[in-house]
Amino acid sequence: MQQRFAHATSRWINRADSVARKAIADAREKYMLDSILGKGINAAPGVAVATHLAKGTHPDPRVKDVVNPCVSFDALSQHAEVGSHNLAGQASREDVTGNGAVNSAGYELYLLLECVFDGKKLSDWISDKDEDAYLAFGGEDQAYSCLELLSNKSRTVATNEKLKQLYWFVGDEQSASDATVDAQYHLLAPLYATSLAHAVYGVLQEDRFGEANKAARQARRDGKLHDGPLRDYPQLAVQKMGGTKPQNISQLNSERGGNNYLLASLPPQWKSRDIRQPWGVQSVFDRMLIRREGVRATLADFLAFLKTDPPANVETRNRVDAYVSDLIDALVTLGGELQRAWPAHWTQDPRCELVREEQLWLDARRAEVDEDFGAEWQRMDWPAQIGKRFGNWLNTQLEKQFAVGDAEQREWANELLVDESEDGWAQNLHKQRTALNAPHYIPTRLGDQGAVA
């Protein structure tokens, strides 16, 4: 009760005007024990404690006319998908639905009955005829009147014509299935999983507006490092339930202001990359690599990290390796897409102005039909040249703000050439060498200096 009172008065606590004083006085009266018991007992016949609401699709049906199940989360089967079973082990997750004018009173009584004393809920103490529980609830008669709130209000399985329903074809096990026979359909009435929706709402509210995520979001805007995770929910939709009177649906819906979050559940959409043939350019490093998704962001993060003047230790080395690895991944992906996107020999087109080593890298199949090209490819000088070009490119990006030289250039080149990760540079080259019967070593420098096996 203290927590509920504190939450109800939090927005008024620093105000002294008449509106705030009245709101605090009303809350104080609402959360008095006698008030909770009296109003809760009066509300009990018209409301139902539920985990799934029939009113999720229409606010009119009375709780006595439709089923509002109150399932035990602990008894639900566990499975990989997110569902109400994820609430197993969590207390007081149920909702109260029914008469919108008294849902709040019913909910406060429900929370009181859910309170645990000596390992048992107060409602269970009453059911077990505990004299102290009777006394706490104002006597035996009043205590049992409180339990009326937890009773099943709908005596039969029923729905209402105003609620959404759908016919589900199940066929007939005894005879041939016939979609024209009405008896071979089951009528389903979808219910709203209010307890799960409220739990999800709480998580998303904290992720969207909590102080921890605010700090992470600000750090991202400022380009600063942050220790915690940043949570984001793109394409989040909000479903309003109950219109201007969300309390007519349920108490938890009222506490959410009628807002219910819907996560985007769209199938993956194929984004065809605009892989244009690099006509008129001498290198794919000049324009195409920097335009790859994530490359600019990685470079920005890399520069921001270097600006912190990190100490020369293993952690710094790992961070640098991670940034370089991300850039290598982008380069290898770009190369793979260009190799697959166009027919063999495309670099023979007069519009292709790529330097020779990049032609050898991006059009390996030309080696099968072009004797001179094949001989150059087989000499395997070009991988080291590509590594050098990558090192030069990365140095160019960094030297705008830092002093980098030949040592760094060689380091970046080697990082590329010895990348043995799955689908990495070296693995792709291994496959091509096998296919074209080329030497099984990777020169890391021009000519025959410093080969890597």
Side-chain angles (χ1 to χ4, degrees):
M1 284 189 285
Q2 291 177 341
Q3 291 178 351
R4 297 281 294 173
F5 174 76
H7 178 73
T9 58
S10 58
R11 60 180 297 196
W12 310 107
I13 203 68
N14 293 322
R15 291 175 50 176
D17 55 86
S18 59
V19 176
R21 289 198 300 272
K22 183 177 186 308
I24 293 175
D26 290 346
R28 185 173 289 113
E29 192 277 334
K30 177 179 180 180
Y31 290 103
M32 296 292 288
L33 178 59
D34 289 344
S35 177
I36 291 176
L37 294 177
K39 292 183 178 179
I41 290 171
N42 291 334
V47 299
V49 176
T51 58
H52 294 73
L53 303 180
K55 285 194 170 188
T57 56
H58 200 286
D60 279 358
R62 300 182 304 170
V63 293
K64 293 182 179 180
D65 299 331
V66 294
V67 171
N68 291 283
C70 187
V71 303
S72 169
F73 302 126
D74 295 333
L76 296 176
S77 300
Q78 294 294 313
H79 46 84
E81 293 78 12
V82 174
S84 296
H85 60 281
N86 292 115
L87 301 179
Q90 300 184 34
S92 306
R93 285 294 190 180
E94 288 80 2
D95 197 356
V96 170
T97 183
N99 186 338
V102 295
N103 276 346
S104 178
Y107 187 67
E108 300 305 333
L109 177 59
Y110 155 73
L111 292 179
L112 178 63
L113 293 169
E114 282 284 294
C115 289
V116 176
F117 179 74
D118 272 359
K120 195 159 65 175
K121 296 179 181 178
L122 295 184
S123 59
D124 293 332
W125 284 109
I126 297 173
S127 299
D128 292 343
K129 305 182 185 305
D130 184 82
E131 294 294 335
D132 291 335
Y134 290 162
L135 185 62
F137 278 80
E140 180 178 353
D141 291 343
Q142 184 160 295
Y144 276 102
S145 295
C146 291
L147 293 188
E148 166 65 16
L149 176 72
L150 306 180
S151 65
N152 185 5
K153 300 303 189 299
S154 177
R155 301 300 181 187
T156 61
V157 178
T159 185
N160 185 281
E161 67 272 12
K162 294 182 178 179
L163 301 178
K164 287 184 179 178
Q165 301 169 46
L166 59 95
Y167 286 98
W168 188 265
F169 181 66
V170 295
D172 190 339
E173 295 181 355
Q174 305 300 323
S175 61
S177 296
D178 186 349
T180 65
V181 178
D182 290 348
Q184 295 188 9
Y185 286 85
H186 282 180
L187 183 59
L188 304 182
L191 300 172
Y192 190 74
T194 179
S195 298
L196 177 63
H198 198 69
V200 171
Y201 180 85
V203 172
L204 266 64
Q205 282 293 95
E206 179 61 27
D207 287 347
R208 296 184 70 197
F209 307 112
E211 294 301 322
N213 213 46
K214 282 184 181 177
R217 194 180 299 120
Q218 185 64 45
R220 185 178 67 172
R221 280 198 290 264
D222 296 341
K224 298 180 179 178
L225 296 177
H226 187 76
D227 292 334
L230 172 62
R231 295 185 171 88
D232 190 26
Y233 300 89
Q235 298 183 308
L236 186 68
V238 178
Q239 178 189 24
K240 296 287 288 188
M241 292 174 59
T244 59
K245 296 180 179 178
Q247 68 273 17
N248 284 345
I249 304 299
S250 74
Q251 177 57 26
L252 293 185
N253 185 65
S254 178
E255 294 190 2
R256 297 191 298 270
N259 296 313
N260 296 268
Y261 286 133
L262 300 177
L263 298 173
S265 57
L266 304 173
Q269 294 185 353
W270 179 257
K271 294 174 64 179
S272 299
R273 293 188 180 278
D274 185 16
I275 302 296
R276 294 177 297 178
Q277 287 162 309
W279 302 145
V281 298
Q282 294 187 331
S283 173
V284 297
F285 289 94
D286 294 337
R287 295 180 180 176
M288 300 187 73
L289 179 57
I290 196 66
R291 291 177 178 173
R292 298 289 297 183
E293 183 178 358
V295 170
R296 291 185 190 277
T298 300
L299 285 170
D301 291 344
F302 194 2
L303 287 167
F305 175 66
L306 295 179
K307 285 181 180 177
T308 64
D309 193 20
N313 56 25
V314 173
E315 182 179 353
T316 297
R317 177 69 199 183
N318 290 339
R319 290 284 298 272
V320 170
D321 286 348
Y323 290 126
V324 176
S325 178
D326 287 346
L327 296 172
I328 289 174
D329 287 345
L331 175 66
V332 172
T333 303
L334 171 62
E337 290 178 358
L338 287 169
Q339 290 164 353
R340 293 187 297 270
W342 309 114
H345 336 134
W346 64 271
T347 54
Q348 289 180 308
D349 192 292
R351 293 171 293 179
C352 178
E353 299 178 10
L354 288 174
V355 295
R356 191 64 164 179
E357 54 267 30
E358 292 193 22
Q359 292 185 24
L360 292 162
W361 166 37
L362 299 172
D363 191 16
R365 287 176 292 175
R366 180 177 165 186
E368 298 173 324
V369 297
D370 184 331
E371 185 175 351
D372 293 339
F373 190 91
E376 289 182 69
W377 202 95
Q378 293 278 350
R379 281 199 294 274
M380 283 286 118
D381 287 341
W382 61 268
Q385 294 169 336
I386 297 298
K388 183 178 180 180
R389 297 184 72 82
F390 173 68
N392 289 337
W393 172 82
L394 186 49
N395 264 10
T396 301
Q397 307 306 315
L398 300 178
E399 67 187 6
K400 299 171 184 173
Q401 300 187 43
F402 296 96
V404 288
D406 292 343
E408 288 79 11
Q409 183 269 336
R410 287 194 294 271
E411 177 66 19
W412 313 141
N414 282 333
E415 288 287 333
L416 169 67
L417 298 177
V418 300
D419 176 19
E420 291 281 356
S421 60
E422 185 178 1
D423 293 329
W425 168 275
Q427 289 296 328
N428 283 330
L429 192 57
H430 290 328
K431 296 174 184 176
Q432 290 182 345
R433 288 184 322 213
T434 300
L436 297 174
N437 194 27
H440 280 207
Y441 66 91
I442 305 173
T444 57
R445 294 183 181 179
L446 288 174
D448 56 0
Q449 304 175 49
V452 174

